[in-house]
Amino acid sequence: MTELLWIVPALPFLGAIILIILGTKLSRIAASFVGAGSVGLSALLVILIGLNYAPAAGPFRQVLWQWIDVAGLSPAFGFHLDSLSLVFIFVITFVGFLIHVYSTEFMAEDEGFARFFAYLNLFVASMLILVLADNLVLMYLGWEGVGLCSYLLIGFWYEEKKNGDAARKAFIVTRVGDTAMAIGLFMLFDIFGTLIINDILEQAPQLWSVGSQTAMVVALLLLGGAVGKSAQLPLQTWLPDAMAGPSPVSALIHAATMVTAGVYLIARMHVIFELSPTAQLCVGIIGALTLLIAGFSALTQFDLKRVLAYSTISQIGYMFLALGVGAWSAAIFHFMIHAFFKALLFLGAGAVIMVLHHEHDMFKMGGLRNKLPVIYWTFLIGSASLAALPFITAGFYSKDSILWLSFAGEKGNIWFFLAGLTGAFVTSIYTFRMVFVTFFGEAKTAVGHHTGARITIPLVILAVLSLVGGFIELPHTLGHLELFSDFLKPVLPAVAVDPSATTGMEWTIQGITMVLSLVGIFIAYHYYVRKPEQASQLKSSLAGLHRFWFMGWGFDNLYDSVLVKPYVFLATVNKNDIVDKFYSLIVYTTELLHRIFARSQGGILRWYIMSMVIGAILILTLGLLL
Amino acid sequence: MQLAFYITSAIAVIATVMVITNHNLIHALLYLVVSFLAVAVVFYLLGAPFVAALEVIIYAGAIVVLIIFVIMMLNLKEEAVAQERQWLSRGIITGPALLSLVLLAELIYIIVGAQVAPSDAQIVDSKAVGMSLYGPYVIGVELSGILLMAGIVGAYHLGRQKKKIVHRFLEEEAS
Amino acid sequence: MDQVPTEAGLILAGVLFTLGLISVLIRRNIIFMLISVEIMLNAAGLAFVVAGAKWSQADGQVMFIFILTMAAAEVSVGLALILQIYHQLKTLDSDAANKMKG
């Protein structure tokens, strides 16, 4: 069964090709079947492969063909399946399939229907190549492929200028990280002479001791790539703007899959990060700072999708925090659960926005609880999972394990833990602020039309997963089930827990988390349902801070004045390129000479003969004189 | 013998001068024939009877006749002579003539200055020429054949008159 | 038998060549120019024959024959060109054919 692995990325790719070539000729139904069907078949195949896959049997490697072979660099078009990539391809294809199904209804009226599915399929194919690649070159191909699709899909409605700007912003900002990553790959190739991931991971511990400088540089460069792709500090600014794309795109690319590519990269190269504690500490610090900054920004947004965008940045910050303390499987676990509930939230938000005639401002929504019961309940479940409502939601278990390990893990410290705790508290406030403002209170915008089965069924499925998905990994205190981390153990080592941490401390921490989560929900309830006027009072009394958070901590302005403005200034100053002057001089000289010599070509035959005679005389005279 | 050479040389030079100063094409061509005949005599005196014959037959015969044919085809009138007289003004002549005389002076200087051993010239007859032509120079003969072939084809192609365009609109367009 | 001095023969060739050259330079009528080129070619041939006679070798005459062949081909093509030019430009003025000037 595993031999069919290559079909998994091939199917969406084939779908994309068909849609690109025949896009305009296919009917919408046919395009939906090609688009969603190819990913659906992939998802089915992944489930079959997953059922047949035994983690103990070791990774499965499949080389399709030699891709490049030059000067020792010989990456193959080869796939590598182990538990880590299996988790990723499962999430990509399964969540991707649900989002495709959702999109067939969501995009039904859109003119670029086939184009949308072509991009989406191409994205799924690239993402699968990214996580299945057995060497870093192929992974880079997928890495850039998803970047391209992200660009195309953010700017999907390209008639509006701001969408195109957002697309370019996303593309350019991620390019900064990608360049760092490319340099990292060059260094790896220079050191190891190969870019096959497994070989690097095997050779690295023999070559480098813990704390080696080279390892640190390589790890930091790879981290740069991950930071760009995953919208972490300081390259997080593109993600909120990326919400210009259609909601399914935000769900699939900018929440569930692509933005977690950085998490995948670090988890995949975890050996190198373990060899460089400094770099790993950086991962943790970046995660902690990002989750706080994005969390506070999310508190102040009024655009439904931007709240979710900041929330995504914040949640990926949790994953980075987990990676930073060496809690590899906790990060991947949170990735999976996050994919479920964040995709659910984005799809729910998209549905709300759609029925309210593209109204993004959640303060203009309100009172949708009774009108849209299915969307309300699924959205509520997703929000509960995001806010880590204790016991019943999957988000609780995944976030709890990160918080516990950031405290008790060997590489954890109290600051990471406090940051995570604050983040969790803020998360529950902004999440339920969003829920209360959108679905409670009085209706402010009329409901246009109701959603069909193709929108509600994916929502329900994702809602169920957001609830029960957490039960495959339970903490020591509550049942102690480790299915997920056992599954990942062959690839990712288990985290070393500080021996001094006791079960009592774990109980305490869980208790604090639960209380904070509930308090957060209560605060949101207090300010946005019971006494809305107090919220606006608070807002006006802290107007400066509100504004600062609303602008995403001023990062956009900072980059604008530090990078964009000087660059634009230089470009304006140097509009008539100075270097060009030199070449213009060459051109001018050539033209001058041309004019002089052209005059000698007067079309008078005798003049030509005359010049020949003069030449002959000169030659003869020289011959006589010398 | 030497005397004969100098007389023919003088005839050749004078005839050539007449060619280059004459305004009438036909007269110039007649002087040209005289010049070629004088050179043929010089060839004979130099002990080359075969090329002397060739000079008479081909230069003085074929080539000049060909030129005369073309002049007849062009049907030049009296105006052509006047035109020629106008073109050949003194101002035009001096510059080129001076330049060419410098060239001539240099040539003569080189020729006289060279130490030439006294020659023992003998008559080289047509047989020797033929042996040489079809011996070491056979490639040259073949190349000459190709050249003549190209000349024939080229002359035919270039000399062909374009068909008149019959339709009046097209004629307007063409003009 | 008193010999023709080689120098004298070569000087004759030089004089004839120079006269032809002068004619090419001063004439505007293309037929005259063609005739002048013939004079120059003939002079060059004369030089070859004189040199051949000096060494009593056939090579000089062979070269003359080649020059003769070339002259014949040149005249035929040249005359065809003159005919074309006359039909196109209605004149024999070589300066009129200056459409390709720079």
Side-chain angles (χ1 to χ4, degrees):
Chain A
M1 201 69 217
T2 34
E3 282 73 29
L4 297 176
L5 182 63
W6 64 273
I7 300 180
V8 173
L11 273 172
F13 188 71
L14 193 69
I17 297 279
I18 292 173
L19 287 169
I20 287 168
I21 294 173
L22 299 173
T24 49
K25 296 192 183 70
L26 288 179
S27 68
R28 278 171 193 245
I29 295 171
S32 340
F33 270 101
V34 172
S38 60
V39 182
L41 283 175
S42 271
L44 201 64
L45 199 61
V46 168
I47 291 171
L48 288 174
I49 289 174
L51 290 177
N52 279 305
Y53 178 78
F60 169 73
R61 186 156 183 247
Q62 185 177 38
V63 176
L64 296 183
W65 67 82
Q66 189 71 27
W67 183 21
I68 302 170
D69 191 0
V70 57
L73 174 69
S74 50
F77 223 94
F79 295 137
H80 175 96
L81 183 75
D82 57 13
S83 5
L84 177 61
S85 41
L86 191 60
V87 171
F88 268 86
I89 60 173
F90 168 69
V91 171
I92 294 162
T93 52
F94 186 69
V95 176
F97 172 62
L98 293 179
I99 292 172
H100 273 75
V101 171
Y102 172 95
S103 308
T104 56
E105 185 175 335
F106 186 84
M107 300 297 287
E109 304 295 318
D110 201 277
E111 278 183 16
F113 190 77
R115 185 164 62 95
F116 182 80
F117 279 97
Y119 292 165
L120 224 49
N121 273 12
L122 189 63
F123 167 79
V124 173
S126 307
M127 191 71 202
L128 288 170
I129 287 175
L130 195 168
V131 296
L132 283 173
D134 77 334
N135 60 71
L136 287 166
V137 182
L138 188 61
M139 185 201 253
Y140 200 74
L141 176 76
W143 188 273
E144 294 299 322
V146 294
L148 169 72
C149 295
S150 160
Y151 165 77
L152 291 171
L153 285 164
I154 294 170
F156 183 75
W157 289 314
Y158 55 84
E159 286 94 344
E160 274 183 59
K161 184 173 178 299
K162 71 171 177 60
N163 295 348
D165 289 345
R168 276 195 292 279
K169 184 175 178 185
F171 199 73
I172 292 166
V173 173
T174 50
R175 200 61 50 244
V176 176
D178 292 357
T179 311
M181 181 179 163
I183 297 170
L185 297 195
F186 298 154
M187 281 188 68
L188 279 175
F189 180 69
D190 189 44
I191 294 162
F192 293 100
T194 177
L195 283 173
I196 295 173
I197 296 170
N198 261 19
D199 294 0
I200 292 176
L201 296 186
E202 274 167 23
Q203 289 171 27
Q206 295 151 24
L207 203 66
W208 291 326
S209 55
V210 174
S212 145
Q213 289 285 323
T214 331
M216 187 186 79
V217 173
V218 170
L220 286 178
L221 285 168
L222 292 179
L223 175 62
V227 160
K229 206 51 133 196
S230 294
Q232 297 294 291
L233 199 73
L235 298 176
Q236 85 283 29
T237 54
W238 64 271
L239 190 57
D241 287 349
M243 297 301 128
S247 295
V249 173
S250 310
L252 179 60
I253 299 183
H254 305 117
T257 53
M258 186 192 84
V259 288
T260 53
V263 179
Y264 172 77
L265 178 69
I266 295 177
R268 178 56 84 197
M269 308 303 287
H270 63 96
V271 175
I272 293 177
F273 284 87
E274 275 174 346
L275 288 171
S276 162
T278 326
Q280 204 179 358
L281 188 66
C282 280
V283 177
I285 293 172
I286 286 175
L289 285 177
T290 312
L291 79 88
L292 285 177
I293 287 175
F296 282 111
S297 285
L299 268 180
T300 56
Q301 304 297 321
F302 59 82
D303 182 333
L304 191 53
K305 284 180 72 183
R306 280 182 90 89
V307 177
L308 290 171
Y310 278 110
S311 155
T312 304
I313 300 176
S314 169
Q315 296 304 309
I316 298 170
Y318 271 108
M319 296 174 210
F320 270 59
L321 182 65
L323 295 172
V325 299
W328 312 110
S329 59
I332 303 304
F333 185 48
H334 192 55
F335 148 75
M336 189 173 81
I337 304 300
H338 173 256
F340 294 148
F341 69 69
K342 194 49 69 69
L344 166 63
L345 286 172
F346 266 115
L347 294 182
V352 168
I353 289 167
M354 189 174 83
V355 299
L356 295 183
H357 307 290
H358 299 282
E359 179 55 63
H360 281 246
D361 187 346
M362 61 187 183
F363 285 97
K364 292 182 183 161
M365 296 172 178
L368 298 173
R369 189 169 31 147
N370 301 320
K371 291 176 188 160
L372 302 169
V374 178
I375 295 175
Y376 166 65
W377 280 107
T378 50
F379 199 86
L380 188 67
I381 290 168
S383 303
S385 199
L386 173 58
L389 201 69
F391 304 128
I392 52 165
T393 61
F396 169 72
Y397 296 107
S398 65
K399 203 176 279 183
D400 175 69
S401 88
I402 292 178
L403 285 174
W404 163 241
L405 291 171
S406 74
F407 175 76
E410 215 167 354
K411 288 170 179 163
N413 59 44
I414 189 75
W415 297 108
F416 283 174
F417 171 68
L418 284 179
L421 208 58
T422 320
F425 178 55
V426 174
T427 305
S428 71
I429 298 179
Y430 71 68
T431 308
F432 276 88
R433 166 181 177 264
M434 177 172 75
V435 172
F436 292 139
V437 170
T438 311
F439 291 98
F440 285 72
E442 55 204 57
K444 287 159 192 144
T445 308
V447 174
H449 55 92
H450 286 270
T451 50
R454 280 174 296 165
I455 282 185
T456 46
I457 289 173
L459 288 179
V460 171
I461 293 175
L462 285 170
V464 170
L465 283 172
S466 303
L467 286 179
V468 304
F471 295 125
I472 55 171
E473 175 95 0
L474 297 174
H476 298 272
T477 47
L478 301 163
H480 187 60
L481 194 62
E482 287 191 328
L483 285 178
F484 193 76
S485 43
D486 281 346
F487 181 66
L488 283 175
K489 202 157 277 173
V491 188
L492 301 169
V495 60
V497 176
D498 201 329
S500 64
T502 60
T503 318
M505 284 158 82
E506 191 167 358
W507 269 115
T508 320
I509 285 169
Q510 277 166 353
I512 297 170
T513 322
M514 291 175 209
V515 169
L516 278 179
S517 162
L518 291 170
V519 168
I521 295 169
F522 175 75
I523 290 174
Y525 182 70
H526 175 78
Y527 275 117
Y528 290 98
V529 181
R530 274 212 316 218
K531 304 244 171 67
E533 66 280 357
Q534 281 191 11
S536 46
Q537 268 174 21
L538 193 67
K539 185 179 161 187
S540 48
S541 63
L542 292 170
L545 192 64
H546 180 273
R547 197 178 148 67
F548 183 58
W549 286 351
F550 179 70
M551 302 298 288
W553 294 60
F555 274 97
D556 270 327
N557 294 341
L558 180 72
Y559 293 155
D560 196 41
S561 51
V562 172
L563 297 172
V564 179
K565 285 228 177 84
Y567 187 81
V568 172
F569 173 73
L570 281 177
T572 332
V573 168
N574 199 16
K575 207 169 190 174
N576 302 315
D577 196 349
I578 291 166
V579 182
D580 260 5
K581 289 277 183 288
F582 173 68
Y583 297 100
S584 321
L585 189 71
I586 294 179
V587 172
Y588 176 75
T589 320
T590 314
E591 280 182 350
L592 189 75
L593 289 174
H594 152 74
R595 250 178 266 122
I596 291 170
F597 286 123
R599 199 146 306 163
S600 71
Q601 301 285 312
I604 312 291
L605 193 56
R606 289 171 304 157
W607 172 243
Y608 300 162
I609 303 169
M610 190 86 97
S611 28
M612 281 168 69
V613 172
I614 293 169
I617 290 174
L618 281 177
I619 289 167
L620 273 180
T621 315
L622 276 177
L624 286 177
L625 291 179
L626 297 178
Chain B
M1 189 107 179
Q2 282 207 9
L3 185 67
F5 171 77
Y6 287 123
I7 292 170
T8 39
S9 293
I11 293 172
V13 171
I14 291 164
T16 310
V17 169
M18 292 307 283
V19 172
I20 69 171
T21 52
N22 216 310
H23 297 131
N24 191 314
L25 252 178
I26 299 297
H27 296 177
L29 279 172
L30 288 176
Y31 279 115
L32 186 64
V33 172
V34 173
S35 165
F36 283 156
L37 288 176
V39 173
V41 173
V42 171
F43 283 161
Y44 191 80
L45 292 175
L46 284 169
F50 179 56
V51 292
L54 281 184
E55 173 90 9
V56 173
I57 295 167
I58 294 178
Y59 264 121
I63 289 178
V64 173
V65 167
L66 201 57
I67 296 175
I68 289 174
F69 270 155
V70 170
I71 292 165
M72 285 161 69
M73 279 174 75
L74 295 181
N75 197 15
L76 296 171
K77 306 254 167 47
E78 275 304 304
E79 300 90 77
V81 179
Q83 176 75 283
E84 197 61 37
R85 185 167 289 131
Q86 188 206 329
W87 277 348
L88 209 60
S89 66
R90 196 174 296 275
I92 291 179
I93 296 171
T94 32
L98 274 176
L99 267 182
S100 306
L101 287 176
V102 170
L103 200 58
L104 178 65
E106 283 183 339
L107 281 176
I108 290 172
Y109 174 77
I110 292 168
I111 291 165
V112 174
Q115 298 294 319
V116 184
S119 61
D120 52 341
Q122 285 164 2
I123 293 172
V124 180
D125 58 2
S126 53
K127 184 184 172 191
V129 175
M131 294 294 280
S132 194
L133 257 185
Y134 289 93
Y137 289 104
V138 70
I139 287 287
V141 173
E142 284 168 11
L143 288 176
S144 306
I146 294 170
L147 180 71
L148 284 173
M149 184 70 189
I152 290 168
V153 174
Y156 168 73
H157 175 75
L158 290 169
R160 199 171 41 159
Q161 297 288 334
K162 292 274 180 324
K163 269 188 190 139
K164 267 283 195 204
I165 299 162
V166 192
H167 199 283
R168 59 195 168 95
F169 295 129
L170 291 176
E171 196 170 15
E172 272 170 18
E173 223 168 61
S175 66
Chain C
M1 187 167 93
D2 51 347
Q3 291 296 329
V4 174
T6 311
E7 291 90 341
L10 287 177
I11 287 170
L12 173 65
V15 169
L16 289 178
F17 184 87
T18 314
L19 287 171
L21 185 59
I22 292 173
S23 180
V24 170
L25 290 175
I26 63 176
R27 293 281 184 183
R28 278 174 81 173
N29 189 323
I30 9 179
I31 298 181
F32 269 114
M33 290 171 90
L34 191 67
I35 290 169
S36 317
V37 171
E38 290 308 316
I39 294 171
M40 288 162 73
L41 280 173
N42 190 40
L46 175 61
F48 269 113
V49 174
V50 169
K54 161 88 172 67
W55 306 105
S56 298
Q57 292 293 321
D59 306 64
Q61 298 186 35
V62 169
M63 282 303 154
F64 180 78
I65 289 169
F66 287 152
I67 289 175
L68 197 71
T69 319
M70 204 206 71
E74 185 231 336
V75 159
S76 60
V77 175
L79 285 173
L81 279 171
I82 288 170
L83 280 177
Q84 264 320 319
I85 288 175
Y86 191 70
H87 280 290
Q88 301 278 334
L89 305 173
K90 311 288 179 222
T91 176
L92 287 172
D93 186 0
S94 69
D95 293 359
N98 65 352
K99 284 218 174 108
M100 282 178 72
K101 73 176 173 197

